[in-house]
Amino acid sequence: MLTNNQRKYIQSLHQKKFRQQSGAFLVEGAKSVQEVIASDFTIDLLLTTEDFRSQNARLIDSQRIPAEIVSVSELERVTTLESNNAAVAVVKTKENRPLVAGPDEFVLVLDDIRDPGNLGTILRIADWYGIRKLICSETTAEVYNPKVISASKGSFTRVSWWYGNLAGFFAEVNPQRVPVYGAFLDGKDVHGMSFSKGGYLVMGNESNGIGPAVSPYITEKITIPRFGEAESLNVGIATAVIVDNWKRSTK
Amino acid sequence: MLTNNQRKYIQSLHQKKFRQQSGAFLVEGAKSVQEVIASDFTIDLLLTTEDFRSQNARLIDSQRIPAEIVSVSELERVTTLESNNAAVAVVKTKENRPLVAGPDEFVLVLDDIRDPGNLGTILRIADWYGIRKLICSETTAEVYNPKVISASKGSFTRVSWWYGNLAGFFAEVNPQRVPVYGAFLDGKDVHGMSFSKGGYLVMGNESNGIGPAVSPYITEKITIPRFGEAESLNVGIATAVIVDNWKRSTK
């Protein structure tokens, strides 16, 4: 049984303001909760149905997760998902620590990606291709948004992120020495390129692309060749295609 | 001004049952409506704000589109979009005509893709890469669903589709002579493949992949290589990456 205060607290975490105040966010549904338990995130509280608890007893016990058994109807009162018969975890957010690309490391940079579904999809793509770091403009969707967490399908546990000022970041990184690829509609054809193993790939806003503050730091404008008539590709799709081309040219 | 009957009729087209009864569907928002007017679809009725009407006067008049001026608030009563200050078109559905791949033509086949957003994204990808034909299992999301139309960003006007029984279709096509590629998790690495210029690419259901009725007709199982730990990629993402690999190996 949840107390009223617990219920209100968990529901408050649907909103960014309260996530930031509390330093906590929600992870929901069987798969995502299993992944977050097995990760290095700290879980404040796990709400779980009896079934999910017993199916995952070893995992939950070995990690000493504070768990509260609830009914499906109680769970559905606090989840943001359309249906959830498994679990909701209240998880501590991580400190916003600066990240840079290590030697021969490829890092994704998001300049003002607004849609939470796109950000979640990009986390999943990064995880598929073995990219471990994501650098986001302050205007990019908040990674702790439940829609991002849900769309990432557990990949948020294997990718690190830093939110900050991209122009300031690149001014320090010295792009003379590390390539900074940027996706534009009029760049070099990715099919003909040989990418550097390490570097940064900047993907821009859904409507406006890479902004004027970041553009000067792009050392190589790149483009997915078009063979038909669609005006553009969704930013998640474009990220996947470019990363796939990067990976096949450097492996 | 819309009559009550007009309003009810348009709202009924939010539902598949009434779209099928009426042989009509909705195209909504400035960009999609401009594209459908310029296409070979037949428009029964265009609801347009004064602004959209005057900005697109030449297009609307040249195509002799029956147009009705409405207020933004009237438009928002009948649209499925969150906001729409431009237009809604009532458009005739097309006959479900069988399609096959022409010589050297590459055709996409969807086996039970359920999510309308995924189907819309796949239409946009097809259009970007110059694929003109889509063959869908009867269980695949309905292309006239407003979410599909909206996610396709106008690309539904440049791609043809046929819904039917895939096993029956492939039994007739004779895959001995035309390659039928199928996306699996344990197939041949697409990075190392040389694709045939023409053929079929089958993409399967979001959770279960390609079903047992269609599997026997796949002549080549293919896979996007994984370098990290995500369990899978979204089907729209996977379609884009495979099509991109096909295109670069055959152009």
Side-chain angles (χ1 to χ4, degrees):
Chain A
M1 253 318 257
L2 287 179
T3 65
N4 266 335
N5 279 344
Q6 281 179 312
R7 186 180 306 115
K8 278 186 198 158
Y9 171 63
I10 296 167
Q11 286 169 336
S12 80
L13 299 177
H14 295 193
Q15 291 175 59
K16 181 174 180 178
K17 182 172 90 173
F18 294 109
R19 288 193 290 272
Q20 290 182 327
Q21 274 180 21
S22 313
F25 68 107
L26 300 180
V27 177
E28 307 169 275
K31 172 89 166 57
S32 294
V33 169
Q34 285 164 339
E35 298 240 27
V36 79
I37 294 176
S39 78
D40 65 349
F41 277 94
T42 304
I43 295 170
D44 283 340
L45 178 63
L46 177 68
L47 308 181
T48 164
T49 57
E50 288 236 37
D51 280 359
F52 184 82
R53 170 79 184 82
S54 63
Q55 284 152 16
N56 296 277
R58 190 173 301 182
L59 180 67
I60 292 168
D61 294 341
S62 70
Q63 304 290 317
R64 304 184 187 209
I65 305 297
E68 180 100 35
I69 306 286
V70 295
S71 66
V72 172
S73 65
E74 268 192 303
L75 202 61
E76 297 208 325
R77 283 183 69 181
V78 297
T79 190
T80 71
L81 300 179
E82 269 183 44
S83 70
N84 184 347
N85 59 9
V88 169
V90 179
V91 182
K92 277 197 173 38
T93 58
K94 288 186 175 174
E95 214 186 316
N96 189 33
R97 288 216 188 107
L99 297 171
V100 285
D104 282 345
E105 187 177 12
F106 203 78
V107 169
L108 265 178
V109 181
L110 305 183
D111 183 17
D112 197 23
I113 300 294
R114 294 293 179 95
D115 181 77
N118 285 339
L119 177 55
T121 300
I122 290 171
L123 282 165
R124 194 171 164 196
I125 294 162
D127 187 26
W128 179 273
Y129 283 102
I131 294 171
R132 310 303 288 256
K133 295 175 188 166
L134 194 60
I135 293 176
C136 302
S137 72
E138 281 142 346
T139 54
T140 289
E142 183 216 3
V143 77
Y144 297 116
N145 181 320
K147 287 183 193 160
V148 176
I149 297 299
S150 163
S152 89
K153 306 272 180 196
S155 290
F156 74 93
T157 62
R158 288 178 293 269
V159 178
S160 303
W161 49 79
W162 174 69
Y163 282 72
N165 182 294
L166 298 188
F169 171 79
F170 281 124
E172 282 186 24
V173 152
N174 187 4
Q176 305 293 330
R177 298 179 46 208
V178 189
V180 181
Y181 301 99
F184 287 85
L185 284 169
D186 61 345
K188 210 167 144 186
D189 180 345
V190 294
H191 287 178
M193 282 182 58
S194 56
F195 284 84
S196 155
K197 202 172 177 83
Y200 297 92
L201 168 62
V202 185
M203 301 299 299
N205 173 267
E206 286 89 345
S207 305
N208 307 313
I210 296 174
V214 176
S215 287
Y217 297 100
I218 303 297
T219 59
E220 197 138 21
K221 289 187 175 189
I222 60 175
T223 296
I224 300 168
R226 180 173 74 159
F227 301 88
E229 292 168 66
E231 272 179 23
S232 64
L233 289 169
N234 162 281
V235 66
I237 298 286
T239 303
V241 170
I242 294 172
V243 168
D244 186 75
N245 276 275
W246 158 66
K247 202 70 192 179
R248 62 178 278 166
S249 97
T250 58
K251 67 179 176 181
Chain B
M1 253 321 257
L2 286 179
T3 66
N4 266 336
N5 278 344
Q6 281 178 312
R7 187 181 305 116
K8 279 187 198 158
Y9 171 62
I10 295 166
Q11 286 168 337
S12 80
L13 300 177
H14 296 193
Q15 291 175 58
K16 180 174 181 177
K17 183 172 89 175
F18 293 109
R19 287 193 290 272
Q20 290 182 327
Q21 274 180 19
S22 313
F25 69 108
L26 301 180
V27 177
E28 307 170 275
K31 172 87 166 59
S32 295
V33 169
Q34 285 164 340
E35 297 241 27
V36 80
I37 294 176
S39 78
D40 66 349
F41 277 94
T42 304
I43 296 171
D44 283 338
L45 178 63
L46 176 68
L47 308 181
T48 164
T49 57
E50 288 237 37
D51 280 1
F52 183 82
R53 170 81 184 79
S54 62
Q55 286 152 16
N56 296 277
R58 189 173 302 181
L59 181 67
I60 292 169
D61 295 341
S62 71
Q63 304 291 316
R64 306 184 185 209
I65 305 296
E68 181 100 34
I69 307 286
V70 295
S71 65
V72 172
S73 66
E74 268 191 304
L75 202 61
E76 297 207 326
R77 283 182 70 180
V78 298
T79 191
T80 71
L81 301 179
E82 269 183 42
S83 71
N84 184 346
N85 58 10
V88 169
V90 179
V91 182
K92 279 197 173 36
T93 58
K94 288 186 173 172
E95 214 186 315
N96 189 34
R97 287 215 190 109
L99 297 171
V100 285
D104 281 346
E105 186 176 15
F106 202 79
V107 168
L108 265 178
V109 181
L110 305 183
D111 183 16
D112 197 23
I113 301 292
R114 294 294 179 97
D115 181 77
N118 285 340
L119 178 55
T121 301
I122 289 172
L123 282 166
R124 195 171 164 196
I125 294 163
D127 187 24
W128 179 272
Y129 284 101
I131 294 171
R132 310 303 290 256
K133 295 175 188 165
L134 194 60
I135 293 175
C136 303
S137 72
E138 280 142 346
T139 55
T140 289
E142 183 216 4
V143 77
Y144 296 116
N145 181 320
K147 288 182 192 160
V148 176
I149 297 298
S150 164
S152 88
K153 306 273 178 195
S155 290
F156 74 93
T157 62
R158 288 178 293 269
V159 178
S160 304
W161 49 80
W162 174 67
Y163 282 72
N165 182 295
L166 297 187
F169 171 79
F170 281 124
E172 282 186 24
V173 152
N174 186 5
Q176 305 292 330
R177 299 179 45 208
V178 189
V180 181
Y181 301 99
F184 287 84
L185 283 168
D186 61 345
K188 209 167 145 188
D189 180 345
V190 294
H191 287 177
M193 282 182 59
S194 56
F195 283 85
S196 154
K197 202 171 177 84
Y200 297 91
L201 167 62
V202 185
M203 301 298 300
N205 174 267
E206 286 89 345
S207 304
N208 307 313
I210 295 173
V214 176
S215 287
Y217 297 100
I218 304 296
T219 58
E220 197 138 22
K221 288 187 175 190
I222 60 176
T223 296
I224 300 168
R226 181 173 73 157
F227 301 87
E229 291 168 66
E231 271 181 22
S232 64
L233 289 169
N234 162 281
V235 66
I237 298 286
T239 303
V241 170
I242 294 173
V243 168
D244 186 76
N245 276 275
W246 158 67
K247 201 72 193 179
R248 63 178 279 166
S249 97
T250 57
K251 66 181 176 178

